[in-house]
Amino acid sequence: GVSNRLVIDRGGTVDNGGGLTFYTNNSLYLWGGTLALAGGTYNGGTFVVGDGTQSATLKSLAGATPLVWKCGLLITNNATLRGNGTVGGASLGVIITNGATFSPGVSGPGTLTIGGSNLTWCPGGTYSCLITDLNQGEGVGWPVLNVSSQLNLATTAPLTIQLDSMTGSPASNFNPSADYTLRIAGYGTMTGYAPANFVINTNAFPGCTTNWSITNMNSSLYLVYRGAGLLFTNSEPILAF
């Protein structure tokens, strides 16, 4: 058949796209810019988001069918996986490399599911955690990532969680004197969990830059905030000053 190639580069945008249809001998490249898709299947080898230098974003728009990359999905340095709905990377899975970011939600907090495959979070990868309203619940007021299979965490630091209120002001209904436990990820199984490997960056979350920690229970990861200055690391309390 005829070989065709679509290259998105140098800040180009294919946004609000429908389902992905990939034919034999055709190729798709996202070196820089934005590609937004509502579902479909890609069979053309491991799909790499970004060229390692340019800013690149792959967005899942939560269509009627999952967005499946049959030979795996690799998010590289300075690239982002963003969106709602279900994304899969088949047997290789979805891999967040050093310098890459994942962010459930399109223009605010949302729910992103890694369906039918693992997610590997490499050291230097970042979870962009948009927290806008503490009264709205997961998937609306803050994001949640659901990994239906295995969440593979790097055994070395840093695994960064970047808190962001999106406004430059404190998140709505955030009380710095209160306590919060926010579920930000769920999984079938998990490997590599070590609280000391997580770095919680609060530069974009005004109102409280300390008293945050991470904990793991009931097949979920939780962000924990203690307004009274008591933190929990792997269910063991430590004093914060």
Side-chain angles (χ1 to χ4, degrees), residues 111-185:
T111 301
L112 181 64
T113 298
I114 306 301
S117 61
N118 299 339
L119 182 134
T120 300
W121 186 350
C122 297
T126 296
Y127 184 160
S128 176
C129 190
L130 308 176
I131 303 176
T132 58
D133 192 329
L134 275 297
N135 284 355
Q136 290 298 312
E138 67 179 52
V140 182
W142 63 87
V144 63
L145 173 77
N146 291 314
V147 182
S148 64
S149 296
Q150 185 163 277
L151 174 60
N152 298 317
L153 301 176
T155 56
T156 55
L159 301 174
T160 300
I161 300 174
Q162 173 73 58
L163 307 188
D164 189 347
S165 69
M166 301 186 69
T167 62
S169 302
S172 296
N173 298 301
F174 177 72
N175 179 355
S177 299
D179 294 343
Y180 299 98
T181 302
L182 311 180
R183 194 177 85 98
I184 60 169

Side-chain angles (χ1 to χ4, degrees), residues 186-198:
Y187 50 84
T189 59
M190 181 172 63
T191 65
Y193 175 73
N197 289 338
F198 288 91

Side-chain angles (χ1 to χ4, degrees), residues 46-47 69-75 87-96 114-120 150 152:
T46 301
F47 189 75
W69 310 90
K70 297 291 286 185
C71 296
L73 177 62
L74 183 67
I75 314 300
V87 175
S91 59
L92 181 63
V94 177
I95 301 173
I96 308 298
I114 306 301
S117 61
N118 299 339
L119 182 134
T120 300
Q150 185 163 277
N152 298 317

Side-chain angles (χ1 to χ4, degrees), residues 8-9 11-16 30 32-36 55-59:
I8 303 171
D9 194 9
T13 299
V14 177
D15 210 348
N16 296 316
L30 177 55
T34 300
L35 172 63
S55 175
T57 300
L58 174 65
K59 292 196 294 188

Side-chain angles (χ1 to χ4, degrees), residues 9-43:
D9 194 9
R10 300 174 184 266
T13 299
V14 177
D15 210 348
N16 296 316
L20 173 67
T21 302
F22 180 79
Y23 298 102
T24 303
N25 298 326
N26 294 335
S27 301
L28 174 65
Y29 300 91
L30 177 55
W31 293 340
T34 300
L35 172 63
L37 296 167
T41 301
Y42 180 81
N43 295 288

Side-chain angles (χ1 to χ4, degrees), residues 61-81:
L61 300 178
T65 60
L67 181 57
V68 179
W69 310 90
K70 297 291 286 185
C71 296
L73 177 62
L74 183 67
I75 314 300
T76 63
N77 178 62
N78 211 28
T80 300
L81 171 63

